[in-house]
Amino acid sequence: MHDIQSIRKEPAAFDAALAKRSAAAQADSLIAIDQRRRTVIDEAQAAQTRRNDLSKQIGQAKAAGDHARAEALMQEVAQIKARLPELEEQERIVAAELNTALAAIPNLPAADVPEGADENDNVLVHQKGEPATFAFEAREHDVIAPALGMDFETGVALSGARFTLLRGAMARLSRALGQFMLDRMTEENGFELVQPPLLVRDEAAFGTGQLPKFADDLFRTTDGRWLIPTAEVSLTNIVREAILSETELPLRFTALTPCFRSEAGAAGRDTRGLIRQHQFDKVEMVSITTPEQSDAEHEGMTVCAEGVLEALGLPYRRMLLCTGDMGFSAARTYDLEVWLPGQARYREISSCSTCTDFQARRMMARYRPTEGKGTRFVHTLNGSGLAVGRTLVAVIENYQQADGSVVVPQVLRPYLGGQAVLEPR
């Protein structure tokens, strides 16, 4: 959500920032709506002032015995009294129009975000780890994993396309990955473990930017709640409508949850395998900070996600997303892409974003500075640490053996009772 006062002060800068995201200029239309709202407010305030003045005059007229004048003044007061609710309703309608317009506009990109149209214009920040070489032709996970318990057919039979059932070794490895990631976040990186609701109200999905624009990407229950597409929604909304003290910040939350996405815009993409599912597990990181803390927190959060990949021995690269590839609420996003030998390409496994005060304004999430008066909006950040299903894919493809077995990364073996190799059934 954007601040109309800031737009009024610097309309050209606002439109220039939108242009970097290939969005149309909005400042003039927003200011025009706001001016209509201000005009109604001014009329209502003038009417209230006039009513107060008339009330004094009525008292004076009655004291002077001028009952005719008092009666005329009372009739004017009655007219104003009838008019005020109309003005209040007009102000409510115009304010709703303004808020609806503001809510549809994406966050403005940070100054260091490169301009570009799509993923082809993203910028490589760094690349770590050397892709493995094999004495045999590397296979994709959907070829290797069925013999280890990744059951695509049963998942489809139970629920339809983009659902997968894991059993045996695959289910155990998936659970081990999730727990390993949580342990990293809570024991090494200082995040507080949260077990949040998986169903949220409209207000929560609006607060993080999924609603109203991206309703088609979500699943909705018959009673009007939304299945979370990411734990970012639940974790960020912990501070909804809160006024925190500066000494409480930063807050860092993490959760391992199922995530649910309709993949409305992904028809025909990644139809094979586990890469793009309607339901998947993900470890999420959310930080709530002051504006001064947020840039350092963004870097630190991304390093936390990189640490999981490095501990697992998975080659990856960090990409700075261009303006055309960023999400709606993000001001800056780093994507981590893991190397998949079977596909012979890097694939996204984590996105870490700073949303500045964009989500905070939608949630009315503020803090009280230790110095100075009033309140300020917090900054919110979120990142994957990591997507469990895609990490499972990466482990399978990077640790595959010629006989169809998969070596278990050293850091995961304690979670699997010391097992070093997953053998095909």
Side-chain angles (χ1 to χ4, degrees):
M1 199 81 157
H2 297 286
D3 177 20
I4 188 62
Q5 304 302 329
S6 298
I7 296 171
R8 290 184 73 97
K9 289 179 182 177
E10 297 185 276
F14 182 76
D15 284 344
L18 286 180
K20 292 180 179 179
R21 297 194 68 150
S22 299
Q26 300 274 358
D28 286 349
S29 61
L30 293 169
I31 291 171
I33 299 171
D34 187 50
Q35 189 56 52
R36 284 163 43 209
R37 182 183 66 88
R38 287 167 174 246
T39 299
V40 174
I41 291 172
D42 289 345
E43 184 180 346
Q45 290 175 341
Q48 289 171 341
T49 300
R50 175 63 177 164
R51 182 180 64 179
N52 294 339
D53 185 50
L54 288 172
S55 296
K56 293 179 183 178
Q57 293 183 42
I58 290 169
Q60 293 169 354
K62 287 182 176 180
D66 190 347
H67 297 295
R69 175 169 169 73
E71 181 63 28
L73 293 172
M74 284 190 289
Q75 288 180 5
E76 187 177 350
V77 167
Q79 292 173 352
I80 293 174
K81 187 176 181 180
R83 176 62 175 155
L84 282 173
E86 297 175 0
L87 292 172
E88 291 172 359
E89 178 63 12
Q90 286 181 30
E91 195 277 329
R92 185 194 67 78
I93 291 171
V94 179
E97 181 184 351
L98 178 61
N99 287 333
T100 298
L102 288 169
I105 301 171
N107 201 355
L108 304 182
D112 59 346
V113 173
E115 290 188 50
D118 53 34
E119 62 184 14
N120 295 313
D121 295 319
N122 295 340
V123 175
L124 176 66
V125 178
H126 57 233
Q127 183 171 314
K128 296 189 177 181
E130 289 296 325
T133 57
F134 298 90
F136 55 92
E137 183 178 353
R139 292 158 292 177
E140 294 191 43
H141 72 282
D142 60 310
V143 176
I144 305 164
L148 298 169
M150 189 174 289
D151 190 340
F152 299 111
E153 292 183 2
T154 302
V156 171
L158 289 171
S159 304
R162 299 193 188 278
F163 288 93
T164 302
L165 183 142
L166 302 181
R167 56 192 297 182
M170 286 291 92
R172 293 176 62 226
L173 184 56
S174 177
R175 186 175 67 174
L177 281 166
Q179 190 58 55
F180 166 68
M181 294 171 189
L182 279 184
D183 289 348
R184 290 273 308 193
M185 296 306 155
T186 57
E187 296 174 10
E188 298 184 28
N189 299 326
F191 285 80
E192 178 183 356
L193 181 61
V194 179
Q195 187 170 325
L198 304 182
L199 296 171
V200 296
R201 295 176 173 174
D202 289 358
E203 296 85 350
F206 175 84
T208 44
Q210 279 75 26
L211 292 182
K213 193 169 185 178
F214 303 101
D216 289 345
D217 295 333
L218 309 180
F219 288 109
R220 195 173 196 183
T221 63
T222 54
D223 65 356
R225 293 180 176 86
W226 302 89
L227 287 164
I228 59 170
T230 163
E232 170 200 345
V233 179
S234 301
L235 297 181
T236 308
N237 275 278
I238 290 174
V239 298
R240 177 181 178 80
E241 297 180 353
I243 299 179
L244 307 166
S245 65
E246 185 173 349
T247 56
E248 294 178 76
L249 304 176
L251 293 171
R252 298 185 178 102
F253 304 123
T254 189
L256 168 60
T257 67
C259 304
F260 306 89
R261 299 183 185 178
S262 70
E263 297 293 351
R269 295 166 56 195
D270 297 310
T271 55
R272 293 171 44 230
L274 201 66
I275 291 291
R276 196 176 298 276
Q277 299 278 285
H278 288 310
Q279 175 185 327
F280 59 95
D281 290 341
K282 179 160 68 77
V283 170
E284 186 71 8
M285 302 175 284
V286 163
S287 295
I288 313 296
T289 75
T290 67
E292 293 75 19
Q293 296 167 336
S294 65
D295 279 348
E297 188 73 12
H298 189 204
E299 176 64 22
M301 174 181 285
T302 309
V303 169
C304 288
E306 290 178 335
V308 175
L309 291 167
E310 290 170 11
L312 291 169
L314 297 173
Y316 72 92
R317 65 186 186 184
R318 186 200 291 197
M319 306 295 292
L320 174 60
L321 298 197
C322 70
T323 52
D325 200 30
M326 285 199 308
F328 179 79
S329 296
R332 184 196 306 110
T333 297
Y334 291 121
D335 266 9
L336 302 184
E337 299 177 347
V338 68
W339 175 254
L340 298 183
Q343 295 188 22
R345 60 185 290 207
Y346 286 94
R347 296 300 303 267
E348 177 198 336
I349 198 167
S350 172
S351 282
C352 296
S353 300
T354 176
C355 300
T356 58
D357 63 1
F358 184 82
Q359 292 177 326
R361 289 181 180 277
R362 299 169 79 98
M363 298 187 300
M364 288 302 293
R366 294 163 289 169
Y367 75 98
R368 201 177 302 280
T370 53
E371 297 182 2
K373 297 180 180 179
T375 61
R376 300 176 68 190
F377 286 103
V378 299
H379 278 202
T380 62
L381 303 94
N382 63 80
S384 311
L386 307 162
V388 175
R390 292 194 177 195
T391 310
L392 180 62
V393 168
V395 168
I396 292 167
E397 292 200 13
N398 280 276
Y399 285 90
Q400 62 179 293
Q401 305 297 301
D403 63 358
S405 63
V406 172
V407 173
V408 177
Q410 192 69 42
V411 293
L412 295 181
R413 294 177 187 179
Y415 298 89
L416 293 168
Q419 187 173 357
V421 180
L422 303 180
E423 302 283 356
R425 296 184 298 181

